[in-house]
Structure formats: structure tokens, C-alpha cells
Amino acid sequence: MKIAIIGSGHVGLVTGACFADLGNEVLCMDQDLNKIRLLSRGEIPFFEPGLEELVKKNTDKNRLQFTSNMEEAIQFSEIIFLCVGTPPKENGEADLSAIEHVAEAITPFLTEYRLIVEKSTVPVETGLYLHKMIKQNLKRNIKFDIASNPEFLREGSAVRDFFSPDRIVLGVESVRAKKLLLEVYKPFDVPIVITDIQSAEIIKHASNSFLAMKISFINLVSQICSKVGADIERVAEGMGADGRIGKSFLNAGIGFGGSCFPKDLAAFTRICEKLNVPSTLLKEVIEINEIQKINFVNLVRSKLKTVEGKNLAVLGLAFKPDTDDMRSAPAIDILTQLQAEGAKIKAYDPCAIDEAKKHIRDIKFSKNVYDACKGADAVLILTEWREFRDIDLKRLKKTLKDSLIIDGRNLYDPAEMKKNGFKYFSIGRN
Ligand code: UGA
């Protein structure tokens, strides 16, 4: 099939490259000329495992191309996927200006039937709004459909997630749209949920909010564990073994970040408020996430007596492993607070240092774990990168001043750390 991707950021580029890899002809469009130039040279503007190879393979086969020309993209394609950003406004509401802009830009080039699919995460009723907007602006009576096909890709495993989804959600309101999207997703042998557009839009916001709720729930329980000396890992294991609960997203830590959960929770809360539906549950999820960061700073302060003048080694800055993304990373709030109290920070992250420089000031960066930890009063672990699991503990111990490790991601076994002579503190396990 011929597919146009409008907006070649994280979601758009992964989706486009993966669709191309399935044998479709894909044209990725972006108004950012620089980005298109980079992509045309095979350079990927962000880090996502496996994506560079996939883009190269499919551009070499001429199944994946790039353009900044909207007319070319619309004329080329049978299906148009909208993958532009929907960042939060000041009040938490999703900013739909990029979607509106694209809808306006597409309309003059609609000369025959096209299926326009929302891939971006949008508030419920955006499909209706888009339909109305395009219909009003069309000069001739051209047929088109809007559909919703939310993405469930995680940064750091987006390519893998694309090819092995748990489910595919199609919000469609015509036989033609349904047929086209089923054709696109024919290679997948997974449950396909076919529904109306509004329900599909809600599925995305509700899924992200639910996952964030699971994290805040387990973080709340971790606070109870800390107070009574219970072990959050065992509690999560015991809870997760119940098939109705499930074990994923029950890892306690310093809270969720990234470009999705915080933004989508805020947007979903605003939708509730607009529709006069109580949103206290969602607000509490956000609140617990904030408290988790404050608690971590409190833990650091309590173990060091004072952080003023202390040298802190920080391992991990990105909001999660396998990405360089620093958006809403817990590290930002935690380190900014510790700096405000007089701590000196030396940090190492395998991937996110360049991005971190844009978000946190006055940090020294190291090229590896051991350099970051040299002479430190304490080590703080803020992202659970795999390489931190394989640290040479003996070597680490020798580099530290006081063998103090405060682990915000529960990477190590407390008993093992004690045996190795560390003063080790983590979340909900001491
Ligand atoms: C999330 C969803 O998982 C995807 O399904 C969705 O498509 C995506 O948002 C989106 O809307 O585009 P992502 O933000 O990339 O994906 O990352 P996650 O793996 O979900 O992690 C989010 C945050 O939760 C991270 O900061 C992570 O460290 C934290 N987390 C996750 C925990 O603290 N505990 C857990 O058990 C799991």
C-alpha cells in the first residue's frame, strides 16, 4: 500500500520505517527541512534501538522516502497517518495546533478519496473535529474518511513493539476505512479491536493513564513498605502473580517520566474536567509521582545528614533506559533540588548526556561509571540501564569515599550489597 506519514518524529519515523519493512511504499513528510535532510542522508535525529538499520534497509530498497512537500505526500498515498506532536498546554490540555495545521494543509490537495488516520495521541472527539474542519474547507465534494489507530510504542523498544504488539486498535466509521486499515495490518496475527473513533481515542488515553496508575500504586505501597520494613519487590511479585493484576508496571522507583505519561494524564484529567467527570483519581496518580521524587531527595538528605558541599555521583539521567530522552525525567527535579541544597553532581548516562545538558545546569559529566563515582560521598542510581547491573562492585567500592549507594530503581539485591560492604538504600526495601 502507499502510505504517507505526516510528522516524522519518534512515532512517525518508527511507524513509517516499520510499515515500509512490511513491504509498503512509505513517504515520510515533515515540515522541518533540516530533519528531512538528515533523514535523507540516513541520519536519525534521536536514539531508538534498531531504527537506524531499519531506515537504511528500507531507503536502500526504495520503499521509504522523505519529503517536506505536503502535496507530494498527499498525492502519493492512499492512507495518510497523522503523527504530529500534541504537547501539553499550560493548563494540561493537549495542544492540537499541529494537528489543525496539518488538517488545513492537507485539504487543498485532496483531489480523490483518502483515509486520514490519527496516530498522534489526541483527546476524544478530535476525529469528529478533524472531519468537520476538513469538510468545511474542501472546495469540492471529495470523499474522505477519518480513522483512529492509536500507537502503543514505548521509547527504547518502539521497533520491537511495532512488530510484536499486544493488540491493534482501529477506530473506524466506514466499511472502506475498515477494509483499508485491515489490509495495512494484515501481516499481524494479534487481536484487532475494531471500534468507533471516539472509543479508540479513549483507549489510548485510558491505557497510558492506567499504566501510570499502576506505577503510582506500587510507589504508594513502597512507602508503606519503607515504614514497616517490608520488601516492595516481594509485595509486587505476590500481587503480580494474580493474573487479574499482572506483574508488569509494578516496579517501584522514583516515578515515571517521559513525553507520554505526564502529558497524557494531564490531558485526560482536562477531558474529565470538561465533561464534568471526577478526575481525583488521575490527579492522585500525578501527585504520588511527584511525592516519590521528593521522598528520594529526603532519603538522600537523611543518609548524608546534609547534602551541602557533598559530591554526588549520579548513574542514569534519561527517563528510562535505552533512550536519550530527558523529557520529564525524574532526574531533572531530583538533581535540581539537590543542587539547590548545595550538592555537587557528577553524572554518567550511556546515552542521554547531550540531552541532559539542555535540562540541568552545572553538572559535570563522566565517560563511565567509575569516573563518575571517583571520590563520591554517595552514588545515586536514577535510571536502570542494563550496564549498571553489571558494575564491578569491588572496583566501585574502591573508588567511593563512603560506600554509600542510594538506588532509585531497585537494581541490586540489598543482601548482596551488604555482603559487599556497601551502605545500600533503595525504594521500599529497607
Ligand atoms: C508509554 C507507553 O508504555 C506506551 O505504550 C505508549 O505508546 C507511549 O507511552 C506513548 O504514549 O507514546 P514510554 O513513555 O515510552 O511508553 O515508556 P514506558 O516504558 O511506558 O515508561 C514510562 C515511565 O514509567 C518511565 O519513566 C519508566 O521508568 C516508568 N516505569 C515504568 C516505572 O517507574 N515502573 C514501571 O514498572 C514501569
Side-chain angles (χ1 to χ4, degrees), residues 65-127:
Q65 288 174 339
F66 303 98
T67 183
S68 56
N69 185 323
M70 183 65 90
E71 184 172 7
E72 190 189 348
I74 304 311
Q75 284 179 358
F76 166 87
S77 56
E78 300 162 80
I79 307 183
I80 302 158
F81 282 88
L82 305 185
C83 301
V84 293
T86 51
K89 289 188 193 168
E90 195 95 334
N91 65 2
E93 205 170 295
D95 181 350
L96 294 180
S97 51
I99 286 259
E100 286 163 352
H101 172 76
V102 166
E104 270 171 21
I106 287 175
T107 314
F109 306 123
L110 289 175
T111 51
E112 56 186 322
Y113 176 85
R114 290 287 181 270
L115 172 60
I116 301 162
V117 188
E118 303 167 339
K119 210 22 138 182
S120 315
T121 303
V122 290
V124 60
E125 297 195 317
T126 302

Side-chain angles (χ1 to χ4, degrees), residues 121 151-155 204 208 211 215 249-251 255-257 260-261 264 319-320 384 409:
T121 303
E151 55 87 16
F152 302 103
L153 311 175
R154 286 165 300 177
E155 282 185 35
K204 172 63 196 239
N208 270 5
L211 289 170
I215 300 170
F249 279 70
L250 285 183
N251 297 315
F256 55 79
C260 305
F261 286 176
D264 291 350
F319 85 97
K320 64 178 222 174
E384 64 277 36
R409 297 295 185 176

Side-chain angles (χ1 to χ4, degrees), residues 214-245:
K214 267 188 106 174
I215 300 170
S216 277
F217 187 88
I218 203 67
N219 281 337
L220 175 76
V221 178
S222 80
Q223 294 173 31
I224 300 172
C225 288
S226 293
K227 301 250 183 214
V228 300
D231 183 340
I232 191 62
E233 300 289 309
R234 297 287 80 78
V235 173
E237 188 186 339
M239 285 171 61
D242 184 329
R244 294 169 302 174
I245 297 174

